[in-house]
């Protein structure tokens, strides 16, 4: 995911962010698999209403009791949204899950939907009520400002996105090991080249595992030296050639490039 200390970091640290009561299974995960139920308890499902039904569109991370962090490209001002916390299986009623309407949605002012590669693909959702934390609902930790992860650092993408290019979205929350491709690697000409900026972080690129439609806005989860999980990335874009095209890793908004902006949004709203 230090001179700037986030309000969200302060809130989360008091409540023990990044340490899920139900621990995720992280050994020898290569391809995307069903996660252990509620082992990523900061993961949310962002849903929109269409024809009287709520439909999953993006992921996101609960960073405070009444704030969610997601991608700017997930937001369409013409749609009505809700945030579902405590979810694992999208097609089942689950004890402890809760759907909450947004009070306010703030998209980064420099986000340009026509020029995604310019970056700034980040938005904050203020919830109309604070969630109740539980074993199934916990806060994400945000890394210190300007934290950069080394090449091949092990991280996990989580989400309900399509299980393969053009396929159906997942019912159960998926997870997959996606090592970081550092900027030097990811900006090579046969990787993403100039399309990837330093305010982004790449992960994956092996041609097997990748984020896909529906994973957008969701977290790139990375464990720090203290054993605490931090959300270092917000899923932003994949290659038009396919969700898991070789040397075209999933590109995430680098959270540690936006600590000051997140802090300002939460303090001013």
């Amino acid at each position: 995911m230090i001179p700037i200390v986030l309000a969200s970091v302060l809130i989360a640290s008091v409540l023990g962010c990044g340490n899920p009561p139900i621990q995720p299974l992280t050994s020898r995960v290569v391809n995307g698999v069903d996660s252990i139920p509620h082992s990523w308890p900061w993961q949310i499902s962002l849903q929109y209403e269409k024809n009287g039904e709520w439909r999953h569109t993006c992921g996101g991370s609960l960073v405070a009791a009444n704030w969610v962090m997601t991608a700017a490209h997930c937001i369409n001002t013409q749609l009505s949204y809700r945030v579902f916390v405590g979810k694992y299986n999208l097609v089942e009623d689950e004890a402890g899950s809760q759907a909450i309407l947004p009070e306010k949605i703030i998209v980064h002012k420099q986000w340009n939907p026509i020029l995604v590669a310019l970056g700034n693909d980040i938005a904050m959702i203020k919830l109309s009520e604070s969630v109740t934390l539980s074993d199934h609902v916990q806060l994400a930790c945000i890394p210190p400002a300007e934290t950069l992860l080394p090449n091949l650092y092990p991280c996990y993408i989580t989400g309900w996105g399509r299980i393969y290019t053009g396929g159906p979205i997942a019912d159960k929350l998926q997870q997959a090991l996606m090592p970081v491709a550092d900027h030097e690697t990811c900006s090579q000409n046969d990787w993403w080249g100039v399309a990837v900026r330093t305010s982004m972080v790449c992960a994956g690129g092996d041609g097997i595992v990748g984020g896909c439609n529906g994973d957008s806005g969701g977290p790139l989860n990375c464990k720090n030296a203290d054993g605490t999980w931090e959300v270092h990335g917000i899923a932003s874009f994949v290659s038009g050639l396919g969700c898991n095209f070789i040397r075209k890793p999933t590109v995430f908004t680098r959270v540690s490039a936006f600590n000051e902006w997140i802090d300002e949004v939460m303090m001013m709203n």
Side-chain angles (χ1 to χ4, degrees):
M1 153 183 139
I2 307 300
I4 300 170
V5 180
L6 274 181
S8 53
V9 171
L10 293 174
I11 294 168
S13 63
V14 171
L15 297 169
C17 69
N19 292 290
I22 302 170
Q23 289 292 311
L25 175 66
T26 57
S27 61
R28 301 199 300 182
V29 174
V30 179
N31 295 307
V33 296
D34 294 351
S35 65
I36 293 176
H38 309 294
S39 57
W40 305 101
W42 45 86
Q43 172 88 45
I44 66 93
S45 169
L46 181 64
Q47 303 180 353
Y48 68 98
E49 186 180 17
K50 184 176 182 180
N51 298 327
E53 295 183 0
W54 290 99
R55 306 182 184 193
H56 171 83
T57 183
C58 280
S61 302
L62 185 71
V63 296
N66 63 334
W67 283 98
V68 162
M69 179 175 68
T70 189
H73 80 263
C74 291
I75 305 303
N76 181 334
T77 56
Q78 305 302 311
L79 297 177
S80 297
Y81 292 97
R82 71 178 184 181
V83 169
F84 226 129
V85 301
K87 289 301 291 178
Y88 170 68
N89 191 324
L90 292 179
V91 298
E92 292 184 358
D93 292 330
E94 295 173 308
S97 63
Q98 184 181 5
I100 305 171
L101 297 176
E103 176 182 310
K104 184 181 295 187
I105 300 177
I106 300 99
V107 172
H108 197 286
K109 289 183 178 179
Q110 292 177 283
W111 161 248
N112 187 331
I114 300 173
L115 297 171
V116 179
L118 289 179
N120 304 303
D121 190 7
I122 183 171
M124 297 291 289
I125 302 173
K126 185 177 185 180
L127 304 179
S128 56
E129 58 183 289
S130 294
V131 304
T132 300
L133 299 183
S134 67
D135 284 356
H136 295 178
V137 181
Q138 292 284 318
L139 303 182
C141 284
I142 291 175
E146 298 305 330
T147 301
L148 297 177
L149 296 175
N151 196 47
L152 300 180
Y153 195 92
C155 297
Y156 289 81
I157 188 174
T158 52
W160 290 277
R162 296 186 188 278
I163 55 178
Y164 54 86
T165 303
I169 68 167
D171 292 337
K172 298 176 181 177
L173 184 66
Q174 302 290 294
Q175 68 173 62
L177 174 63
M178 291 199 354
V180 167
D182 65 8
H183 185 73
E184 182 180 359
T185 301
C186 199
S187 60
Q188 292 179 30
N189 289 336
D190 58 340
W191 286 60
W192 275 108
V194 296
V196 65
R197 295 175 173 252
T198 56
S199 60
M200 303 169 183
V201 59
C202 303
D206 62 0
I208 301 170
V209 177
C212 207
N213 309 80
D215 290 324
S216 292
L220 182 68
N221 305 287
C222 313
K223 187 179 282 190
N224 67 19
D226 296 327
T228 298
W229 290 97
E230 297 172 333
V231 174
H232 278 259
I234 302 166
S236 182
F237 62 89
V238 297
S239 172
L241 300 171
C243 294
N244 54 350
F245 201 78
I246 192 164
R247 291 188 293 278
K248 290 294 183 288
T250 303
V251 180
F252 299 78
T253 300
R254 179 168 62 83
V255 174
S256 64
F258 292 91
N259 290 52
E260 185 174 6
W261 180 81
I262 296 168
D263 192 27
E264 289 175 357
V265 168
M266 293 178 65
M267 294 294 288
M268 298 297 292
N269 295 277

